[in-house]
Amino acid sequence: MNTIQLSVIIPVYNEEEGLQALFDRLYPALDKLGVTYEILFVNDGSRDRSSAILREQFQKRPDVTRVILFQGNFGQHMAIMAGFEYALGQRMVTLDADLQNPPEDIANLLAKMEEGHDYVGSIRRQRNDSWWRHVASRAMNSLRERITRIKITDQGCMLRAYDRKVIDAINSCKEVNTFIPALAYSFARNPAEVVVGHEERAAGESKYSLYSLIRLNFDLMTGFSVVPLQMFSMLGISISVLSAFFVAFLLVRRLIVGPEAEGLFTLFAIAFLLIGITLFGIGLLGEYVGRIYQQVRHRPRYLVEAVLEGRRAGSGMEE
Ligand code: UDP
Ligand code: MG
């Protein structure tokens, strides 16, 4: 049995401009490693020529290339999930298709794994993203570290290496909306991090808008912790205690000084603040209910249209 030592999993969504440059650097970098490897591209329903380009590449290197074609756009994390389920390697590395992380750094991740780590995360040496993403991600990092037990220095970087055992645990989860580096971290026995390079996007544009980044962080908080809900019960208790004192005070004042009519707008201000907090609380509750709903529906998380792979992969189908 010739086992595959390394699977590299790459989600691809509308990356036609950058794919050739990726191939030109990735294959030589992996050939140099001296391990048996496979590269799994997952085309996440691209609407450009990406899938045609991947098909051509598969024909050029069918020995080490496999391509999973999704029927539609199911998101980066579902694409990686599909990769995990199909991959055969003893170790897996995830990498973005946009060359923001140098493929040559895969060697460093694997070297770190040799030291006995089953999860190797990455920290970007210097980030080349817009300034608001720096600020926002730093804020989210510290909030996340406080309410979940997940300690990832740099959550935004997808260049990461995982051991087969961690991947098996992830594969048994079937989570619908999840954040893979965090999920993997929670299963890792001995995680580590290394510093990797980070460049500006060479071609194409970022698929993440401000909205989807906010969504992602909600998934991260609600998917890995119930602390936000618990904070609401604590807040409710504190406000009840405060209002009890306030009621007692007003009662006494009314008996001594008589009825009052002023302070109307102060009352409004307090009421609006509390309404705001209540609405946020309902929304937060909705986040959890929504997650439960998506989970119990048991719909397929992604749909695969075709898999391009050589005969070697066993159950695989031919082109
Ligand atoms: N991606 C994907 N499906 C999506 C969005 C993105 O497969 O719906 C892929 C994309 O092709 C890239 C990776 O996920 O390989 C990261 O996306 P991007 O570079 O846009 O994110 P950023 O680096 O800006 O966080
Ligand atoms: Mg990117």
Side-chain angles (χ1 to χ4, degrees), residues 15 76 96-101 124 129 133 156 158 198-201 203 205-208:
E15 302 279 3
Q76 177 189 0
D96 284 353
D98 55 8
L99 271 187
Q100 283 191 277
N101 293 119
R124 287 169 280 194
D129 275 320
R133 286 190 60 169
M158 268 301 157
H198 190 242
E199 287 147 39
E200 236 163 292
R201 226 175 200 287
E205 51 191 30
S206 174
K207 310 304 182 283
Y208 282 96

Side-chain angles (χ1 to χ4, degrees), residues 2-140:
N2 51 342
T3 52
I4 295 172
Q5 285 161 296
L6 174 69
S7 297
V8 179
I9 295 155
I10 304 180
V12 177
Y13 180 56
N14 295 346
E15 302 279 3
E16 59 178 3
E17 295 112 322
L19 280 178
Q20 192 53 51
L22 174 71
F23 301 152
D24 293 345
R25 278 177 68 185
L26 181 64
Y27 285 84
L30 294 180
D31 286 331
K32 253 203 314 232
L33 289 178
V35 298
T36 47
Y37 70 89
E38 62 174 357
I39 305 175
L40 256 149
F41 293 100
V42 186
N43 176 39
D44 188 16
S46 302
R47 282 184 300 268
D48 63 359
R49 284 189 53 252
S50 296
S51 87
I53 298 173
L54 291 176
R55 206 175 277 268
E56 275 166 32
Q57 182 61 26
F58 167 70
Q59 267 143 15
K60 266 186 227 156
R61 291 293 302 269
D63 52 330
V64 289
T65 310
R66 291 161 82 199
V67 183
I68 301 172
L69 299 167
F70 274 6
Q71 263 184 35
N73 181 235
F74 294 90
Q76 177 189 0
H77 289 263
M78 280 312 119
I80 297 176
M81 281 293 188
F84 283 165
E85 270 175 32
Y86 281 80
L88 302 167
Q90 288 307 305
R91 288 176 179 164
M92 312 218 179
V93 167
T94 54
L95 178 72
D96 284 353
D98 55 8
L99 271 187
Q100 283 191 277
N101 293 119
E104 294 78 17
D105 278 345
I106 292 176
N108 302 344
L109 295 180
L110 295 179
K112 194 81 190 169
M113 287 202 106
E114 288 299 330
E115 292 171 19
H117 300 284
D118 54 353
Y119 169 104
V120 180
S122 55
I123 306 166
R124 287 169 280 194
R125 193 170 292 121
Q126 92 273 10
R127 258 184 93 168
N128 286 303
D129 275 320
S130 47
W131 65 269
W132 60 265
R133 286 190 60 169
H134 282 252
V135 177
S137 78
R138 190 159 311 156
M140 290 320 295

Side-chain angles (χ1 to χ4, degrees), residues 75-275:
Q76 177 189 0
H77 289 263
M78 280 312 119
I80 297 176
M81 281 293 188
F84 283 165
E85 270 175 32
Y86 281 80
L88 302 167
Q90 288 307 305
R91 288 176 179 164
M92 312 218 179
V93 167
T94 54
L95 178 72
D96 284 353
D98 55 8
L99 271 187
Q100 283 191 277
N101 293 119
E104 294 78 17
D105 278 345
I106 292 176
N108 302 344
L109 295 180
L110 295 179
K112 194 81 190 169
M113 287 202 106
E114 288 299 330
E115 292 171 19
H117 300 284
D118 54 353
Y119 169 104
V120 180
S122 55
I123 306 166
R124 287 169 280 194
R125 193 170 292 121
Q126 92 273 10
R127 258 184 93 168
N128 286 303
D129 275 320
S130 47
W131 65 269
W132 60 265
R133 286 190 60 169
H134 282 252
V135 177
S137 78
R138 190 159 311 156
M140 290 320 295
N141 260 350
S142 67
L143 181 62
R144 189 209 55 239
E145 286 201 2
R146 243 174 290 154
I147 67 171
T148 67
R149 273 178 308 160
I150 294 161
K151 300 219 176 337
I152 299 176
T153 313
D154 186 356
Q155 70 179 44
C157 189
M158 268 301 157
L159 176 54
R160 281 158 201 278
Y162 309 98
D163 188 77
R164 180 90 233 172
K165 287 210 181 88
V166 175
I167 301 295
D168 286 341
I170 291 180
N171 284 346
S172 66
C173 279
K174 311 281 179 216
E175 280 197 37
V176 176
N177 279 318
T178 194
F179 188 71
I180 287 162
L183 190 61
Y185 183 95
S186 61
F187 295 133
R189 195 167 31 83
N190 187 9
E193 289 182 326
V194 294
V195 175
V196 298
H198 190 242
E199 287 147 39
E200 236 163 292
R201 226 175 200 287
E205 51 191 30
S206 174
K207 310 304 182 283
Y208 282 96
S209 60
L210 180 58
Y211 172 76
S212 44
L213 284 174
I214 292 175
R215 289 283 347 140
L216 187 77
N217 280 294
F218 260 114
D219 281 341
L220 203 56
M221 301 296 168
T222 58
F224 293 91
S225 167
V226 288
V227 170
L229 281 181
Q230 290 163 346
M231 281 191 309
F232 258 89
S233 1
M234 292 317 290
L235 192 71
I237 293 174
S238 335
I239 291 178
S240 315
V241 170
L242 278 180
S243 356
F245 280 120
F246 194 46
V247 168
F249 166 74
L250 284 184
L251 205 70
V252 174
R253 188 181 186 276
R254 172 138 193 165
L255 289 177
I256 299 170
V257 188
E260 74 288 319
E262 275 168 43
L264 186 64
F265 287 95
T266 318
L267 189 63
F268 265 124
I270 295 173
F272 284 146
L273 177 71
L274 291 182
I275 291 172

